[in-house]
Amino acid sequence: MKSTLYTGDTVIWRGDFGSAPGVEATVSAIELVEEGSKYGEEVESAPWSSIVGRRAVISLNIGNGQEWWAYGSQVSPKGTQA
């Protein structure tokens, strides 16, 4: 498994706060957020170990021009389960 998430990577996203079936999505942005903060720092890559809970907000392209966002707990590397 890759240890780092990069913008442009394909991930598995589970909507409905993680309860929906997994869908492949492309990462369009990664924002790391400090505990208790509303806004964070946009980065090009981040270790998967920091993509947990609400400490990361991931912008996703799920195809057909659809853009969504997810908390780190809703995404996982392609080939794994969230």
Side-chain angles (χ1 to χ4, degrees):
M1 178 172 87
K2 285 176 51 173
S3 61
T4 304
L5 174 66
Y6 294 92
T7 302
D9 279 357
T10 300
V11 295
I12 302 300
W13 165 64
R14 294 183 183 278
D16 294 330
F17 295 97
S19 63
V23 174
E24 282 191 18
T26 303
V27 176
S28 55
I30 304 166
E31 187 174 346
L32 298 179
V33 181
E34 289 294 324
E35 190 89 24
S37 294
K38 187 172 182 178
Y39 302 102
E41 174 185 359
E42 191 167 327
V43 296
E44 290 293 317
S45 65
W48 272 104
S49 61
S50 66
I51 309 295
V52 294
R54 295 184 178 199
R55 298 195 64 172
V57 176
I58 313 297
S59 296
L60 302 166
N61 181 316
I62 61 168
N64 297 325
Q66 295 183 55
E67 289 283 331
W68 292 86
W69 65 270
Y71 290 121
S73 59
Q74 294 175 264
V75 297
S76 61
K78 187 176 173 182
T80 65
Q81 292 184 332

